[in-house]
Each structure stands twice: as C-alpha cells, then as structure tokens.
Amino acid sequence: MTDKILTHLEEGLEGELRTDKLLKVLYATDASVYRKIPMAVAFPKTNEDIKRLVHFAKTHKVGLIPRTAGTSLAGQCVGDGIVVDVSKHFTEIIALDKTKKQVTVQPGVIRDELNQFLKPHGLFFGPNTSTSNRCMIGGMVGNNSSGTTSIQYGVTRDKVLSLKTILSDGSEAEFGTLELEDFNSKQNGNNFESSLYKNIYKELINKEIAKEIIENFPKPEIHRRNTGYAVDELLKYEVFGGPEAGLNLSKLLAGSEGTLAFTTEITLQLDDLPPALSAMVVTHYRTLEDCLMDVAPVMEHPLQLCEMMDRVILDCTKNNRAQMANRFFVDGDPEALLMLQVSAHNEEELKTSIDNLLNTIKKSGLSYSSPVLFGDDIGKAIELRKAGLGLLGNIVGDMKAVACIEDTAVALEDLKDFIGEFSQIMKGYGQKAVYYAHAGAGELHLRPILNLKKSTDVSLFRAITTDVAKLTKKYRGSFSGEHGDGIVRAEFISLMVGEKNYELLRRVKSYFDPNNIFNPGKIVDPYPMDESFRYEVDRQEPEIKTLLDFSDSEGILKAAEKCNGSGDCRKTHHMSGGMCPSYHATKNEKDTTRGRANALREFLTHPEKKNAFDSKELKEVFDLCLSCKACASECPSNVDVATLKAEFLYQYQEANGYPLRSKLFAYNTRLNRLGSKVAGFTNAVYDSSILGGALKSVSGVAQKRSLPKVYSFNFDRYLQNIDNKSIKELKKVVLYIDEFTRYLDIEVGKDAIELLSKLGYEVELFYAESGRTYLSKGFLKQAKKLAEQNSENLKVFAEKGWPVLGLEPSAILSFRDEYKRMTDNTKTAEAIANNSFLIEEFLSSEIEKGILDASMFTEDAKDVKIHNHCHQKALSNQKVTFDVLNLPKNYKVTIIPSGCCGMAGSFGYEQEHYEVSMKIGGLTLFPAVTKANPKTIIAANGTSCRHQIFDGTKRMAKHPVSILKEALA
C-alpha cells in the first residue's frame, strides 16, 4: 500500500494516523510472545474516525486491530493491518444511573479509575484482573475478563448490558436486551443490523445445532469460558427456548476479541460495594497436591476470593524491590499457598466467618500454617498475587514461563484430577511448570518454561499446548478461561468445541464481518500459533558491548527483553506509584517502560548501523525518560530504563558527538565550583533578566525556569565550631558532602552537621562528586572514573564500619546502584553499597534501636507534608522520612501521594522539556502543596524537587534534616 493512500486516510481523520517506524515497532507486540509489524497505528478521536477506518479497511482489504492497554496475553492486539488504539481519546465516563446501578463508559476507561469514580456512590464494577490499575473496560469486554473476584461477582460478560458499536459496513448499532416484539421488529428490517438477527436466529433455532453446542461446549458450570464465540450463552434466551427474557447479542460480542464489531460505548451493571470488613486466611502447604485437595472444602464457604501461588512465583517475589515487603505473611518456604478472603458487615459476623473457615482448614489437616490478615495487609497480599504474572519475566536468560496453556479452566470437582494428569504431561516433557491464580474458579495459570528462541522449544511449545488442549477437552473444560484465544489458542477451538460448532463460529464471523476486517487471524481462520514470535528462532544472538555492566541480566539486550508487556507502566497518576511520569503527562506508549524496552530490543536486534544504538528512533523513545528509576522497583520484571538510557546516551553520543548543553549539565559541578569563587557576581548574572535570559538562550534552558544560586562555604570550619551540647557520645558517622550540597544547598549541609553533632554523633566529612550529572547525560567514562576514585575512599569507611550518610538521594544512592555497574571489584562495590545510607535511613534505624527519641525535640505542634525523591522511592523507601519527621511528638506528618516532581535533575531546565516537566508536577504534587495551609511545612529531600516545588507553587520546601534541626529541643 502506498504512503499516498495512507496520507489521504490520515487527512480525513480528526485523530492521528502514524506510519513511522517507531510507532509501528511499539505496537507490534502486546503481553504475548508474538510480534507483527502493523502498517499503521490510528488514534481515533470520534465515531466518525472509526467509520472512516472501517470504510478504508473494507475498501483496501486491511485488518483493523482494536487495542486499549495492550496487556493481552494471547496475541489479541497484534496484527499486520492498522492497530486502532482507543486508549487515548475514548476515555469518558458517559453516564451513571444510581437507581439502576448502571454506568455507561467509553472503551478506554481504566477499570480501577472507574471504581474510584463509583466508590462515593457505594457502587463498583466487580471483575478484577491483575492488570486492573491500567487495563481498560473495552479490553475487558473483548476478552471477557474475570480476575480474582469472579467467584463472587462473576465475569465481565455477566455485567455487560449493552454495547454501542460500529459494524463492518460502517453503520452504528446498539446491542442490548430485546424483548420478543423488538426482536421480531429487528428481524424484519432490511439493514445490515437486521441481517445479523436473522442469521443468528436461523442458526440457533435449529435444534441440531443447539444440541451440538450443548454437548460439545465447555461444561456450563465453568463460568470462566472464552473458547470461541459464546453462542452457548445465547441459548439461554427465550428466543431460543431458554429461561431469560428476549435476546441480548452483547453477550456474544463479549469475549469476541473485537472480531465482530468495533465497540464505542459500554453499559455495565454494577454491584454494591463489598462489606467494609474483611479478613484473609493464607493457608500454607508443603505439596501442591495438599493445596489442591483443600480447594473444594474451603469453597464451601462464601469466599470473596480463593487464589493460589506456588513456590516459583513466591521465589520471584524475593528479588523484586516493590514486592519483598509484601511477603511479610509468608511462613517458611511453602510449595504453594491459598489466599482465602471473607467479608462481613460487622466484627461478630467476620469473626464467625474466620472461625468457620479455620475449622475447615484444621479439619483437613493439610495446611501447616494459616495466618489471618486484616486491613491494609490484605491489600499487600493481593498486590503480591497480582504481581505474579509480571514477576515471571524476572527469570534471567532466555528461558521464560510462557503463556500458552495458562488459561485452562475446569469444573471444581475436576481440578485435582486435571492437575494430576497435567503434571504427568509436564513431567513427560521434563518441565517444572508454574502454578498460580484462581483456584476457587477451577482455573490455574499453568506455564511451561521454554526458550522460544530455539526451534526445539518452539516444537515443545506446540506439542505441550496440543496435549493440554486434549486434556482440557477430556474434562470438558475451557482452554481459554479468561485470557482469550488470540493467536496462541485459536488453532485449538475446533478441537475444543468440535468441527460442526467451529463451522458455526466461522459462519457467525462471516455474518458480522464478511470482509474479515475486524482483527483477522483471531478465533476463526487463525494465524499459526508457532510463528510470528518476538524473536527470530535459532538466530545468532547479537553481541553488544557496553560500558556499564549488565551481566546480572546476561547483557543489555536481555535486560530489555525482560519486559514481557504486562504494561504496569501504563497506570496513570491516579494510581499509587510513580512509573512512568512522562506517560502520565503524554499518554503515549513510547513514554512507558514497556515502550522503551520494546524499542531498545527491536533496534538492538535489527540494527541499521554498525553502532546499534545510533538510532533516531531510540533517541526519540528515551527523550522524555526522566531517569526516575520508578521502573527499577515498580516494574515486576525490574526493567531499569534509567540505566538503559544512560548506556544508550553514551553509545549514541560516542557516534554523534556530545552536545554543548549536555556538556554544560554534565560538567555542572565544575562550573558551580568556578561560579562559587565569585558567588555574588554569578548569582547577579543568574538573576538578571537580560544576562540570565541570554545565558538560558545560549544553553537551551527554559526562560521560565529559575536558576539555582551558587555558594562558597567552609564546612570543615563550621564543623569545628559547632557547640555540641549533647550529653550522649554516639558512634562515628561520615557525612557525605555531595556536589549539590557543597555548592548549591549549603544550608542543608550546615543543618546536617549541626543536627548530627547535637544528637551526639562524631561527624567526619567526606567530599566527592558522585557522578550523577555525568550519568544523567550519558558521560559514562567520566562517571566511571569518579566511581573508581570514590570507591577507594568509600571502601575505607566500610572497612572501619563508619556509615556514610547522604543528603541528596540521587548522589548517595548512586553508591548503592550505578557504582555496582561501573567498578570491577564486586565485593568492594557490595560493601560500599551496604555502608551507604540516606541520612533519614540512618536516623530511622537509630529510632528503632531506641537511641533517638522525642525527648530530644520540641513539643510544639506543626503539620508537615512530605514529597520524597524518586530514587528514594525506588531504591529505599518513604517510610524512613515519615518516621524521622514524626520524632517531634506533636508533629503531624503525611506523605503526599505524588510520583516524580517532574524536574529530574537537568530535565526540567531544558527548554523543550519544560512544559512536560511542569505538567508532571501539576498532576499531584503542585495541587497538594498549593492546597496545604501556608503554615504547613513542605518537606522534600531532593534538591531538584525543592527547586521544582518553588517554581511550580512559590512555596519553599525544606530538607527533612533542616526540619529536624529546627525542632531540636
């Protein structure tokens, strides 16, 4: 197809149509193992845009692949036509009917954000997937998603009341419940929609066809079933002799993966919020068989959820920074555990439910430990379970837990026997499978561990999938319980439902989509399940040399390949966490961790130049990365894009040269050192609208951005003159005077010296440039040289047991993070990392030991709001700052639930990034600061954060150390 034809299409759209290589690469994958480069990516704004796309697809015989968050596991969102992403513009909650408990939304509304909107009204949308903080209602309808709560609240299909759609002829149609009179009227029409009702009626009124469906579709008691089209659901309606009134074709479209029509509006039935009180019993087992034997008896209780995790998943959580803290309830080293939640309206009712459940567990005698969780601890446990899917990507190397047989669902009474036979199949293939998910619904996400870069394992991929499909058919289960057929399972639909039923499904597709434009290759006439992988099979792996050490991932390419597409990085600022701040502002896929990892994987694997990093597409995809490191902890696969970006910048600039502005920021410490010698003159220039403005223009700094003042100060002399009135004589500590404290934030350094001294610590000062400015701009040779020099001094402190305390998180935490990748002595690097602390970390540990207490501080009452640095959130935790600022007993301290402030070192200064920087700050941080009482103290331990808060709100934020120093008794 010519560019001219696509350009003509683009000109007719109110939204966008992108045909550039980067966008096509980003949309070539979802959360599955597949990769298909589309011809274009569309971002429609209106129904008219979608109609134009439908007309174009019909005219040119092009497929339209609908997409929301792109978290599909079976390959539903990949194809070689036009990917139509509705996640950017179709995001409106259209109407809420509180009386009927119904809501109408566009397909791009995020599930958890919908529930945030509904909560004040006492309502919620029940289906709850592990991706609920970023998955969208359109995708949930397409896949008929279920999640952890399906045993109580059902699946998405159960909640769908009606769908407004655009049909394959470009006409609009709404599918909802039709009474018999309305159904007959529809049949008698002469438009395309009427033909659908006529043809569906003609098929399903046939008793032989109905009999074939009843006998060969999965058992009706399996409520998680997405195998093919849900024609079995339609037999429940009175039109076909069933007990339910009329007919509702939206039940057929739910789970159809966008292959029948293009949905633009969705009306859902809601539930009342669950009872306010909950408890979770977590049963631990020494064998998988013991665990499975307990499922049936515990399901006799009215459980909210019954989830399972096995040892493989639990072991993955040991190495994930964000999930380690959520393992608190795990007792010993269980082979498997069940998470059993009960709810109640009052304490007495809850206690009865817990006791009854514990009695059943005790009676079986299979569990060796059954802790009971309450309150926030339940949420932490659920987060651990939700992270399971993404955590599987943490396996280092090319062997991965592969999604192909992970969606089997069987009747509950068949579960134990099914798993027994399944285990024998896996044993025959020499496989140690992963078992987790929705035990109470008869569904376990079972994954073989394979290397799909090898043809031998690709053969296993098909063989294992085929054998498990046959086993599932034996038990009349559903091969696609909730993740859908997509590419990986569509080939097996004929086996699962029988050839006659499969031909019926093909006819249904032809009635709705005679030109096969809607998501071709899915459900019927499918793509082969063992082709179009992310990786070329049996390829010669490219050798990519890097300056940073990526051996922990077996190289930078495999570090990028760890991303499995789960899309955790697509959560917005309305959810907890900070990943990815630029995506929060732009809503562009290229500004996610997933987008950056996918692009790096693609261009390193298929380089166009000798230097694989020398790519304008990679430059674009990393441009808005703030190097906040949220991905290093929040991404379940630990894809650390900040480190990938540093290496990319180095490699790209080695090929293309280092820009002047990058040099100015990288060598900023040298410039500050020089400027501090004539601080008065330097600051006068900075303050001057003419001279300062000219300086900003020359250096590419945004005119609206204020420039930080520089200072010259003798910290050694200040330390010597401190009047230490402390009656205690505590340990010796090393206070790290980093490059920011030394020349920009001298008051913070002075306050730290005074605070530590008056608390009774013997303070030694250590001056060094951390290398942060070099790292942020990709000057890795310079950063490496500094790391090696500093390590010699830091090693001495570690050997003496003198903790090194830092004030600026980005500086001190580089000793714990990047230094490990830049120095050759692993043992020394580890010792330095273990001896380097944020000053709040150190003081918090002293509080825990009882060495510091409230008696040392004022009894005055003050309110404090904390914004913590991104690197602290990623590599440490926020609680240490909270605990330290709570030392004065009448201080009321809260943490602002903000992600990145938006400054990120030099990022917010740069002219082309200023607007994005301020938009990020304006999402949560600026409003929280602006709304705070003027007397409230704003705490921020990052120098960039304090600067951003001032530029965005005109409020002066203080370092926690300064707040504590002022609070000394």
Side-chain angles (χ1 to χ4, degrees):
M1 182 171 294
T2 66
D3 291 340
K4 185 177 179 180
I5 293 174
L6 288 171
T7 300
H8 182 69
L9 171 62
E10 182 182 8
E11 290 170 351
L13 298 176
E14 189 175 333
E16 290 180 90
L17 185 78
R18 297 282 297 273
T19 58
D20 53 285
K21 185 175 182 180
L22 176 59
L23 260 288
K24 291 195 288 186
V25 162
L26 294 179
Y27 283 83
T29 57
D30 51 12
S32 72
V33 298
Y34 298 105
R35 170 185 175 272
K36 281 182 173 289
I37 301 288
M39 70 168 58
V41 181
F43 301 92
K45 276 190 175 180
T46 64
N47 283 7
E48 290 304 312
D49 278 356
I50 296 173
K51 289 179 182 179
R52 288 188 183 95
L53 289 166
V54 168
H55 177 73
F56 180 88
K58 182 179 175 182
T59 302
H60 297 281
K61 295 181 171 54
V62 171
L64 298 179
I65 302 100
R67 178 169 170 139
T68 51
T71 58
S72 296
L73 288 164
Q76 290 94 323
C77 295
V78 299
D80 47 20
I82 299 175
V83 174
V84 185
D85 184 349
V86 296
S87 71
K88 198 166 185 180
H89 301 300
F90 282 73
T91 58
E92 184 182 351
I93 298 173
I94 296 169
L96 172 64
D97 188 326
K98 291 184 279 188
T99 303
K100 293 183 178 179
K101 301 178 183 179
Q102 295 173 4
V103 69
T104 300
V105 301
Q106 290 183 314
V109 171
I110 294 172
R111 186 267 183 190
D112 281 0
E113 292 186 15
L114 172 61
N115 279 346
Q116 284 183 342
F117 168 81
L118 294 171
K119 188 174 182 179
H121 305 288
L123 301 169
F124 87 125
F125 174 62
N128 181 23
T129 66
S130 63
T131 56
S132 62
N133 64 2
R134 69 269 190 197
C135 78
M136 298 173 180
I137 301 300
M140 294 185 74
V141 171
N143 282 350
N144 186 31
S145 299
S146 303
T148 57
T149 57
S150 68
I151 58 175
Q152 188 81 354
Y153 296 105
V155 299
T156 299
R157 182 183 288 125
D158 300 329
K159 306 301 179 184
V160 173
L161 295 174
S162 67
L163 299 174
K164 284 188 179 179
T165 66
I166 294 168
L167 301 177
S168 62
D169 70 335
S171 63
E172 295 187 31
E174 181 173 3
F175 296 103
T177 299
L178 293 176
E179 301 299 333
L180 282 175
E181 184 178 340
D182 295 326
F183 169 70
N184 290 328
S185 176
K186 286 280 187 185
Q187 279 205 97
N188 293 330
N190 57 7
N191 59 15
F192 186 69
E193 180 188 358
S194 295
S195 72
L196 298 177
Y197 283 100
K198 289 176 188 174
N199 284 318
I200 295 296
Y201 181 75
K202 175 189 70 178
E203 294 284 1
L204 299 187
I205 200 65
N206 185 313
K207 291 185 179 179
E208 288 300 315
I209 290 176
K211 182 172 181 287
E212 188 73 20
I213 292 170
I214 292 167
E215 290 180 351
N216 284 287
F217 263 63
K219 290 181 179 180
E221 61 265 37
I222 303 171
H223 67 276
R224 290 169 176 264
R225 58 190 196 283
N226 292 328
T227 301
Y229 299 128
V231 289
D232 55 332
E233 285 290 311
L234 299 186
L235 295 180
K236 296 178 181 178
Y237 288 100
E238 64 176 322
V239 167
F240 304 113
E244 296 186 20
L247 176 66
N248 188 340
L249 286 188
S250 72
K251 305 298 182 180
L252 179 69
L253 268 63
S256 67
E257 301 180 2
T259 62
L260 300 180
F262 203 106
T263 299
T264 58
E265 285 186 23
I266 302 158
T267 299
L268 302 167
Q269 185 65 52
L270 306 171
D271 287 292
D272 292 325
L273 283 170
L277 300 177
S278 289
M280 177 181 285
V281 179
V282 185
T283 52
H284 293 56
Y285 302 91
R286 292 188 173 88
T287 68
L288 179 65
E289 185 178 1
D290 285 349
C291 178
L292 293 171
M293 286 178 67
D294 255 2
V295 172
V298 299
M299 281 297 294
E300 296 295 321
H301 298 266
L303 300 179
Q304 291 279 115
L305 58 80
C306 174
E307 298 292 297
M308 174 186 164
M309 294 178 73
D310 78 346
R311 184 196 297 272
V312 177
I313 294 288
L314 289 169
D315 284 350
C316 286
T317 66
K318 294 177 181 178
N319 302 315
N320 181 268
R321 290 169 182 154
Q323 296 303 326
M324 282 190 289
N326 291 337
R327 286 179 48 88
F328 66 95
F329 61 89
V330 180
D331 182 2
D333 192 21
E335 187 64 33
L337 52 78
L338 291 177
M339 302 163 68
L340 314 170
Q341 186 175 354
V342 293
S343 296
H345 292 283
N346 56 63
E347 294 284 357
E348 184 178 349
E349 185 183 329
L350 183 65
K351 185 178 184 303
T352 300
S353 295
I354 296 169
D355 290 344
N356 290 341
L357 183 56
L358 288 173
N359 284 337
T360 297
I361 294 163
K362 185 178 179 181
K363 186 177 179 181
S364 80
L366 298 171
S367 170
Y368 72 82
S369 181
S370 305
V372 183
L373 312 182
F374 299 92
D376 292 342
D377 286 347
I378 296 175
K380 293 174 185 176
I382 290 174
E383 282 305 307
L384 188 78
R385 174 19 219 120
K386 280 188 172 186
L389 174 62
L391 288 171
L392 290 172
N394 263 345
I395 301 173
V396 175
D398 292 329
M399 300 295 290
K400 301 293 182 185
V402 177
C404 57
I405 54 171
E406 89 295 346
D407 206 22
T408 57
V410 296
L412 205 57
E413 65 269 18
D414 296 329
L415 182 61
K416 180 177 174 295
D417 291 340
F418 174 83
I419 293 296
E421 290 193 53
F422 172 85
S423 297
Q424 288 302 310
I425 290 174
M426 300 304 283
K427 187 176 180 182
Y429 284 108
Q431 281 286 321
K432 167 71 173 165
V434 178
Y435 301 84
Y436 77 106
H438 319 291
E443 178 171 11
L444 293 182
H445 294 325
L446 317 160
R447 293 192 176 202
I449 297 173
L450 301 170
N451 178 4
L452 293 184
K453 293 180 181 178
K454 291 184 176 181
S455 55
T456 52
D457 279 22
V458 170
S459 297
L460 282 175
F461 181 63
R462 174 175 284 279
I464 291 171
T465 307
T466 302
D467 283 354
V468 175
K470 291 176 179 176
L471 176 65
T472 308
K473 176 64 176 177
K474 173 183 174 181
Y475 285 93
R476 279 193 66 195
S478 175
F479 201 39
S480 303
E482 63 173 337
H483 295 162
D485 296 313
I487 297 173
V488 75
R489 282 179 287 273
E491 276 195 54
F492 301 94
I493 294 175
S494 58
L495 167 66
M496 302 310 300
V497 301
E499 284 296 335
K500 290 183 179 179
N501 282 328
Y502 183 69
E503 288 305 314
L504 168 65
L505 302 188
R506 295 187 73 199
R507 293 196 297 276
V508 169
K509 168 71 170 175
S510 70
Y511 299 145
F512 276 87
D513 185 20
N515 295 297
N516 196 28
I517 64 171
F518 288 138
N519 213 2
K522 320 294 162 56
I523 297 188
V524 298
D525 302 318
Y527 297 127
M529 60 87 67
D530 52 0
E531 295 179 10
S532 304
F533 292 126
R534 286 191 183 198
Y535 315 108
E536 182 183 340
V537 179
D538 291 330
R539 75 181 184 194
Q540 179 66 41
E541 290 291 306
E543 290 186 20
I544 301 167
K545 293 182 179 179
T546 58
L547 189 145
L548 295 176
D549 180 5
F550 289 94
S551 58
D552 56 342
S553 299
E554 297 183 0
I556 190 170
L557 179 57
K558 290 182 183 178
E561 288 175 349
K562 286 195 300 185
C563 174
N564 61 11
S566 63
D568 298 66
C569 44
R570 282 183 61 100
K571 61 188 178 182
T572 73
H573 68 284
H574 297 294
M575 299 293 107
S576 62
M579 181 176 65
C580 291
S582 50
Y583 175 75
H584 294 169
T586 69
K587 299 299 188 292
N588 290 328
E589 175 72 17
K590 75 178 180 65
D591 299 321
T592 63
T593 296
R594 178 173 73 179
R596 291 167 180 135
N598 276 337
L600 188 61
R601 169 183 54 77
E602 182 74 26
F603 290 103
L604 291 186
T605 305
H606 305 103
E608 296 180 344
K609 300 179 182 178
K610 185 176 181 181
N611 179 346
F613 294 92
D614 186 7
S615 157
K616 63 181 178 61
E617 288 87 2
L618 287 180
K619 189 174 188 297
E620 180 181 349
V621 85
F622 282 114
D623 180 56
L624 293 187
C625 172
L626 284 78
S627 298
C628 69
K629 284 194 175 290
C631 49
S633 60
E634 292 177 32
C635 170
S637 301
N638 293 142
V639 178
D640 182 354
V641 170
T643 304
L644 299 177
K645 179 184 179 181
E647 184 68 42
F648 160 73
L649 285 174
Y650 165 71
Q651 300 282 357
Y652 183 85
Q653 291 170 153
E654 283 290 294
N656 295 280
Y658 291 78
L660 173 62
R661 187 180 64 186
S662 293
K663 290 178 181 177
L664 292 175
F665 281 123
Y667 287 95
N668 186 250
T669 301
R670 291 190 186 182
L671 297 175
N672 287 338
R673 185 183 302 122
L674 291 172
S676 71
K677 295 181 185 298
V678 284
F681 173 76
T682 303
N683 293 332
V685 170
Y686 288 174
D687 285 340
S688 167
S689 59
I690 297 174
L691 296 176
L695 182 62
K696 291 174 187 176
S697 294
V698 170
S699 58
V701 169
Q703 289 294 327
K704 294 180 181 179
R705 184 65 75 183
S706 63
L707 296 174
K709 303 292 178 58
V710 295
Y711 301 94
S712 178
F713 187 75
N714 190 323
F715 288 102
D716 289 312
R717 186 179 302 155
Y718 187 77
L719 175 60
Q720 291 168 7
N721 294 333
I722 282 289
D723 180 16
N724 189 345
K725 296 180 180 178
S726 173
I727 60 171
K728 293 187 177 183
E729 290 185 8
L730 301 174
K731 68 182 76 171
K732 184 167 184 174
V733 298
V734 178
L735 179 63
Y736 171 38
I737 304 295
D738 58 72
E739 60 266 41
F740 309 102
T741 305
R742 191 168 189 180
Y743 300 112
L744 303 176
D745 295 314
I746 62 168
E747 292 301 324
V748 176
K750 290 161 64 177
D751 290 344
I753 290 170
E754 186 172 345
L755 175 68
L756 290 169
S757 297
K758 291 190 173 181
L759 290 176
Y761 296 97
E762 182 185 348
V763 179
E764 179 170 324
L765 302 181
F766 170 55
Y767 300 90
E769 185 179 356
S770 67
R772 175 55 56 194
T773 59
Y774 293 127
L775 285 164
S776 70
K777 290 298 168 189
F779 287 62
L780 295 189
K781 290 178 180 176
Q782 295 86 334
K784 180 176 173 64
K785 184 177 179 181
L786 271 177
E788 290 169 343
Q789 291 172 352
N790 290 339
S791 292
E792 289 302 311
N793 294 315
L794 292 167
K795 177 176 68 172
V796 174
F797 299 138
E799 289 169 350
K800 291 182 177 179
W802 298 347
V804 178
L805 315 183
L807 298 166
E808 169 56 37
S810 67
I812 186 69
L813 292 175
S814 64
F815 301 167
R816 292 226 293 251
D817 189 21
E818 289 93 349
Y819 275 36
K820 292 181 179 180
R821 297 188 185 276
M822 294 191 294
T823 54
D824 297 330
N825 191 322
T826 304
K827 187 176 180 182
T828 297
E830 198 65 42
I832 291 170
N834 294 336
N835 194 54
S836 303
F837 305 93
L838 285 169
I839 192 167
E840 297 103 295
E841 289 178 317
F842 172 75
L843 294 176
S844 177
S845 69
E846 297 291 273
I847 295 168
E848 278 190 24
K849 296 170 187 173
I851 295 171
L852 302 179
D853 58 48
S855 66
M856 304 172 181
F857 297 90
T858 182
E859 294 187 3
D860 292 349
K862 291 185 185 296
D863 288 337
V864 182
K865 286 188 177 293
I866 303 170
H867 168 77
N868 280 315
H869 192 282
C870 287
H871 290 190
Q872 176 182 354
K873 294 170 186 172
L875 303 171
S876 174
N877 67 76
Q878 300 194 74
K879 187 175 182 295
V880 292
T881 304
F882 178 81
D883 290 344
V884 165
L885 290 178
N886 266 299
L887 255 181
K889 67 179 183 180
N890 292 318
Y891 276 28
K892 182 182 177 183
V893 184
T894 55
I895 295 175
I896 299 171
S898 50
C900 181
C901 72
M903 181 65 97
S906 65
F907 180 89
Y909 287 95
E910 294 163 351
Q911 185 173 342
E912 71 274 22
H913 295 148
Y914 176 79
E915 294 300 329
V916 170
S917 168
M918 298 307 282
K919 186 173 183 180
I920 292 168
L923 293 173
T924 303
L925 177 59
F926 294 168
V929 172
T930 303
K931 290 175 186 175
N933 188 299
K935 293 182 179 180
T936 298
I937 301 170
I938 306 299
N941 57 3
T943 183
S944 293
C945 304
R946 294 191 295 276
H947 198 137
Q948 177 79 326
I949 289 169
F950 177 77
D951 282 357
T953 69
K954 301 307 176 187
R955 290 282 294 267
M956 296 293 296
K958 296 182 177 182
H959 195 289
V961 154
S962 299
I963 297 170
L964 274 187
K965 190 271 292 186
E966 293 168 3
L968 284 168

